[in-house]
Amino acid sequence: MMRITLRLIASLVIVAASVSFIFSGLQARQEQAHLEQELSRRAAVLAESLQESVEPLLDGGKLDGLHRLVERFADRERLAGVAIYRGDRQPMAMSPRLPVEFQIAPETARQALDGGGAVAGFLTLQGQRWHLQAVPVRAPAGPPGALVLFHNADYIEARGAAVWRHNFLRLLLHVLLISLTTLLIVRWYLTRPMAKTVEWLRRLRIGEPADQGALPHEGLFGPLAREVTHITKTLTVARAAAEEEARLRHTGASRWTPERLKEHLRTTLEGRPLLVIANREPYMHVRQGRQVRWIMPASGLVTAMEPILRACGGTWIAHGAGDADRETADGSGKLRVPPDEPMYTLRRVWLEKQEEDGYYYGFANEGLWPLCHIAHTRPLFRAEDWRHYRQVNMTFAQAAVEEMRGMERPYLLIQDYHFALLPRLIREKRPDARVALFWHIPWPNPEAFGICPWARELLHGMLGADLLGFHTQYHCNNFLDTVDQTLESRIDWEQFAVNRAGHTTWVKPFPISIPVEEPPGGEGPAADAAVAKEAVLKELGLQTRWLGVGVDRIDYTKGIAERFRAIERFLEHYPEFQGQFVFVELGAPSRTLIPRYHELGAELDAEAERINRRFQTRAWKPIVFLQRHHSHEAIQPYYRAADVCVVTSLHDGMNLVAKEYVAARADARGVLVLSRFAGASRELRDALLVNPYDVEQVAAALHAALTMTPEEQTERMTRMRELLRERNIYRWAADLVAELARLRPVRERLTNQG
Ligand code: ADQ
């Protein structure tokens, strides 16, 4: 490092010295020229005025007068003396201390005599520089002569030398400062961060805990630190996975891990890649100013499906909805993702604006979404939207068929209510494909579903699948009831299957889940929550004893307004919590182009504001509503810090936030208040289950949560964590694919019998 520093300093000094040298030369020359001009100008003026005084004295040969004059003008500042010469170059009068060499008129005087005009010039005599200014003098009656002024011009040379001296000193100072600054900069911005990074990596290598904050994250080392952090994360995860695998093998437990799923799918799929179709893409490229960056959209489906593709590879076909999606994909809309650590392929399907409006915003989200969620928002069914929905299903079918080309008996996992027609379309083109459709949202009862003008077409489309998955048995039953009442078909209530025109579709519950990472080093100490709480409160500039959290896409099915009103009632009933409890709602804006959603954001803001106004003091308010998207990493500290997490969906297929909260509590503390209308309530029986419409009950649950003993919290949390560990997303995927593989021979048998 020292050698680099010295080279850097030497290069900087050479450059600075060269610049200084060139400019000193120029400056010295300019100054000298200026002084010479100045001297010439002054000498000319003085010579002219003396000429007038001398000429009358010449007239009568008044030598005395001339002598007095030349003596008077000797040794004045830089004027060394004056001499008056005759035509024969002999002096008539001459200042006494002028050098003897000037006893004979110099060349300049002769030129003035001959030419009859003023002549000036420099000459050097015995190492001294002189400026001579000569003018002709004559009297009407006398001989012609020349008056010469002798100026000492040494000071002009001296001035040039002074410029050089001055600039040299300045250069020395520069060199000193440059060296010092370079040394400091190198030390601060290179040597120290480099040493830190090396030390950090060393500790990592020998397995000592290395603090993330110790890495330099700014400036030159920023990108390096980011890459290194990334590698470390991958390494830590790999280490944890290996440890977990070893532990599970040791204890004989059969827990699902990414590695196990990978192995399982490799055998089941016999080397075929997994194909997933979902409307939402896991990585969306968006433009921010001049930069393009990617985000992972806030979506339960993405949260659940992404780890599966990461574990097994394959292709995810989705609508390319980001404004920078096209430029980040290849000609066929494909790219490898995650962008910073490619593991599988994302194929983007491009839709026209009206298609997206009709299919996604219109039929899927203004029609099917409210139809399936009984949340008192009326579904809107427009023929135009339905037309687009059908068209987009065909577009995706086309893309899927392209991806399946060359594959024998491909496996296709279709996701959600955006693609009800897709299973049938695929079956028509690829009868050998094994198709599962997983419905991530609830399925209502037959009467509720029956209001959809295209109920029959939707069911017909769905029944093209081999396997239909819902989160709960209750939704499966609702679906079978709906088919029973809507279509000609044979329902097998023992097998939970529908047989229609020779094709059987099995309908089964697969409660979806999340990855549930094991924290390295096992369950964490309770102190983690205190540290997380302090950090979260500091970031938000809040002070409070108790912290509650809600995390949702802003959607009317999530019961966010009901939750706010329950908080209001809680503070009314238990005033001792006023000033002591803050509820942070992290709400990701969603589907904001739909008027109902757009209004909802404003409504919720107004509701939070109203409640805050009612209770707030100068230093405290009960509700902090942050309406923005947060990354999964950014949400984690809130989960770890919150004494209570509140999920009050009016109706929800599963709700992964409830599961994420439990998974985040490695300290086995904290309480989950959970709506009994969320699918998650069927599994998380140790949550405080509530009816979100019952404000009193939710308020009481909040109170019970905040006053629950640590022992009870731990008991409940431990049981829920154990359940989640068993039923994680890898098990979900394994079950779904295994079921799909198992069904086909049965289906073929049934068909043959029929
Ligand atoms: P969603 O309705 O999207 O899912 P949910 O299951 O709660 O609902 O998942 C939401 C996801 O988005 C979670 O992973 C959460 O962390 C994330 N999220 C929420 N708020 C966020 C914010 N402010 N910023 C960033 N991310 C945020 C649908 C169904 C659910 C079903 C899932 C999976 O409606 O019932 O559980 O699919 O099948």
Side-chain angles (χ1 to χ4, degrees):
M1 191 48 82
M2 204 54 208
R3 265 178 57 186
I4 294 182
T5 316
L6 285 178
R7 277 190 195 159
L8 190 64
I9 293 179
S11 327
L12 289 172
V13 166
I14 290 173
V15 172
S18 314
V19 171
S20 173
F21 182 79
I22 294 168
F23 279 93
S24 300
L26 282 175
Q27 191 189 350
R29 246 207 274 156
Q30 262 177 3
E31 286 240 351
Q32 281 176 333
H34 173 74
L35 288 177
E36 281 173 7
Q37 267 176 12
E38 185 62 24
L39 177 60
S40 302
R41 193 185 53 77
R42 267 194 291 125
V45 172
L46 185 61
E48 212 174 295
S49 68
L50 280 182
Q51 187 184 26
E52 282 168 16
S53 321
V54 166
E55 279 177 349
L57 297 176
L58 286 179
D59 219 0
K62 294 172 189 142
L63 280 183
D64 284 354
L66 283 182
H67 283 301
R68 268 200 305 282
L69 184 132
V70 296
E71 274 164 26
R72 194 145 49 86
F73 280 94
D75 290 334
R76 282 186 166 198
E77 291 183 31
R78 289 178 181 125
L79 177 63
V82 179
I84 299 145
Y85 298 95
R86 288 193 297 264
D88 60 1
R89 299 180 71 184
Q90 292 304 313
M92 253 187 282
M94 185 170 168
S95 302
R97 270 201 292 276
L98 284 175
V100 287
E101 283 80 355
F102 293 139
Q103 294 286 352
I104 296 183
E107 189 56 20
T108 327
R110 205 181 48 73
Q111 284 170 3
L113 271 165
D114 296 351
V119 180
F122 285 89
L123 70 85
T124 305
L125 196 65
Q126 288 166 8
Q128 190 179 346
R129 207 153 176 254
W130 293 91
H131 174 263
L132 274 55
Q133 174 77 36
V135 283
V137 283
R138 74 187 72 215
L147 166 76
V148 181
L149 302 184
F150 295 90
H151 278 94
N152 187 342
D154 272 349
Y155 74 98
I156 294 179
E157 292 287 304
R159 185 65 211 185
V163 166
W164 279 102
R165 209 169 35 247
H166 185 81
N167 283 357
F168 180 70
L169 286 177
R170 204 156 59 180
L171 176 68
L172 273 187
L173 192 68
H174 273 171
V175 166
L176 202 71
L177 288 178
I178 286 173
S179 312
L180 219 72
T181 322
T182 314
L183 274 174
L184 284 180
I185 287 182
V186 168
R187 207 178 153 67
W188 273 98
Y189 293 103
L190 288 175
T191 318
R192 275 172 51 138
M194 180 94 93
K196 271 182 167 182
T197 313
V198 169
E199 171 59 14
W200 194 85
L201 285 170
R202 193 188 65 78
R203 296 184 69 167
L204 188 78
R205 180 172 51 80
I206 59 173
E208 277 183 27
D211 174 17
Q212 290 291 336
L215 267 185
H217 279 277
E218 300 301 324
L220 202 60
F221 281 77
L224 181 66
R226 275 193 288 281
E227 279 305 315
V228 169
T229 314
H230 197 77
I231 293 173
T232 321
K233 267 194 197 143
T234 320
L235 208 70
T236 317
V237 169
R239 254 188 205 166
E243 278 169 18
E244 174 75 354
E245 285 290 323
R247 200 177 61 74
L248 291 177
R249 249 199 312 277
H250 182 65
T251 55
S254 58
R255 199 160 285 158
W256 282 93
T257 60
E259 285 68 29
R260 192 171 158 204
L261 176 66
K262 195 186 258 176
E263 274 313 307
H264 174 78
L265 293 192
R266 195 173 291 156
T267 359
T268 317
L269 304 182
E270 294 164 344
R272 298 179 194 88
L274 193 63
L275 293 179
V276 169
I277 304 191
N279 169 71
R280 183 59 75 219
E281 53 183 342
Y283 295 92
M284 181 189 267
H285 282 93
V286 288
R287 193 168 288 292
Q288 268 189 349
R290 283 160 161 260
Q291 280 187 334
V292 169
R293 59 181 209 103
W294 58 261
I295 56 164
M296 185 177 262
S299 145
L301 185 150
V302 171
T303 306
M305 298 303 297
E306 219 265 335
I308 302 172
L309 270 287
R310 271 181 186 250
C312 315
T315 301
W316 180 314
I317 307 175
H319 171 210
D323 58 6
D325 270 357
R326 274 181 201 263
E327 62 199 81
T328 43
D330 68 12
S332 49
K334 285 195 198 175
L335 67 155
R336 297 283 294 164
V337 289
D340 51 2
E341 199 181 2
M343 291 175 170
Y344 62 97
T345 303
L346 167 62
R347 164 154 184 189
R348 290 171 171 155
V349 172
W350 312 119
L351 298 180
E352 298 293 327
K353 165 120 184 30
Q354 8 5 333
E355 280 180 332
E356 187 187 359
D357 285 349
Y359 137 84
Y360 176 73
Y361 290 108
F363 192 72
N365 284 319
E366 285 193 294
L368 287 178
W369 177 268
L371 179 75
C372 291
H373 289 91
I374 313 290
H376 312 285
T377 291
R378 273 196 199 161
L380 294 175
F381 296 115
R382 305 180 193 95
E384 185 65 7
D385 290 349
W386 170 243
R387 197 172 60 76
H388 284 303
Y389 185 84
R390 275 195 344 225
Q391 177 53 49
V392 171
N393 270 250
M394 283 190 244
T395 309
F396 273 83
Q398 184 58 40
V401 167
E402 278 169 30
E403 291 304 317
M404 288 188 278
R405 199 163 291 150
M407 271 186 225
E408 252 180 60
R409 286 179 292 122
Y411 278 67
L412 197 63
L413 303 186
I414 303 174
Q415 306 300 314
D416 234 354
Y417 59 102
H418 309 89
F419 299 118
L421 308 179
L422 202 49
R424 176 75 53 196
L425 295 171
I426 299 279
R427 174 152 311 287
E428 281 163 6
K429 294 191 178 151
R430 286 296 300 260
D432 64 322
R434 291 164 191 250
V435 179
L437 167 64
F438 189 80
W439 200 260
H440 289 255
I441 61 175
W443 191 275
N445 60 42
E447 293 72 28
F449 192 77
I451 66 170
C452 175
W454 301 286
R456 292 175 62 83
E457 287 88 336
L458 288 170
L459 292 176
H460 178 67
M462 291 171 80
L463 290 174
D466 298 294
L467 181 62
L468 278 178
F470 293 92
H471 291 300
T472 66
Q473 185 62 50
Y474 180 66
H475 298 150
C476 296
N477 295 351
N478 275 350
F479 179 79
L480 289 173
D481 274 339
T482 310
V483 174
D484 203 16
Q485 295 192 19
T486 320
L487 292 179
E488 267 311 297
S489 60
R490 192 157 51 80
I491 310 254
D492 180 342
W493 283 99
E494 255 168 48
Q495 298 260 2
F496 292 98
V498 182
N499 194 280
R500 188 159 188 269
H503 174 68
T504 306
T505 305
W506 273 264
V507 181
K508 306 231 162 206
F510 298 91
I512 210 164
S513 197
I514 50 170
V516 192
E517 314 285 352
E518 286 300 320
E523 304 292 79
D528 279 3
V531 175
K533 192 191 269 183
E534 202 180 301
V536 162
L537 294 181
K538 194 169 160 204
E539 190 181 315
L540 297 177
L542 295 175
Q543 277 189 338
T544 178
R545 177 157 178 216
W546 308 106
L547 182 70
V549 72
V551 180
D552 308 81
R553 275 186 310 99
I554 297 180
D555 194 299
Y556 52 82
T557 60
K558 302 290 180 189
I560 304 172
E562 285 73 6
R563 194 178 310 168
F564 288 172
R565 285 196 277 278
I567 291 164
E568 179 181 26
R569 188 51 56 87
F570 163 71
L571 293 172
E572 250 168 40
H573 278 332
Y574 308 100
E576 66 275 21
F577 281 91
Q578 290 183 20
Q580 304 285 324
F581 173 72
V582 170
F583 184 80
V584 179
E585 172 65 35
L586 308 178
S590 169
R591 309 173 190 169
T592 42
L593 292 184
I594 298 176
R596 180 72 193 94
Y597 282 80
H598 184 71
E599 287 156 15
L600 184 67
E603 271 169 41
L604 292 177
D605 253 339
E607 196 59 354
E609 185 57 31
R610 178 187 69 73
I611 298 166
N612 280 341
R613 241 184 290 118
R614 195 173 153 199
F615 295 102
Q616 76 193 22
T617 61
R618 205 125 65 84
W620 171 83
K621 64 178 175 176
I623 299 176
V624 176
F625 183 24
L626 302 175
Q627 273 204 55
R628 60 167 186 270
H629 181 84
H630 291 71
S631 67
H632 278 282
E633 288 74 35
I635 297 174
Q636 287 304 314
Y638 287 88
Y639 286 145
R640 287 205 300 275
D643 300 289
V644 58
C645 173
V646 189
V647 174
T648 49
S649 310
L650 305 180
H651 206 181
D652 215 333
M654 173 55 73
N655 192 288
L656 293 181
V657 170
K659 293 192 169 179
E660 286 170 355
Y661 179 62
V662 172
R665 298 314 298 243
D667 60 346
R669 289 285 176 81
V671 181
L672 173 66
V673 171
L674 175 61
S675 162
R676 57 190 176 86
F677 306 131
S681 70
R682 307 286 160 130
E683 294 177 277
L684 303 176
R685 309 301 295 182
D686 279 291
L688 301 183
L689 298 184
V690 293
N691 167 3
Y693 292 96
D694 185 346
V695 170
E696 302 294 331
Q697 194 193 34
V698 180
L702 273 174
H703 185 254
L706 296 181
T707 53
M708 188 182 284
T709 61
E711 292 74 32
E712 190 180 345
Q713 289 182 28
T714 306
E715 262 175 44
R716 286 171 180 264
M717 203 42 104
T718 308
R719 279 196 295 266
M720 292 196 283
R721 288 177 62 75
E722 198 43 48
L723 179 128
L724 274 196
R725 271 201 209 106
E726 289 298 328
R727 300 194 197 165
N728 61 17
I729 188 65
Y730 305 113
R731 171 167 166 185
W732 178 88
D735 283 353
L736 192 72
V737 176
E739 193 67 16
L740 193 55
R742 198 176 63 77
L743 292 177
R744 184 43 87 88
V746 185
R747 189 185 80 82
E748 272 149 13
R749 211 172 49 237
L750 279 185
T751 316
N752 293 342
Q753 279 166 8

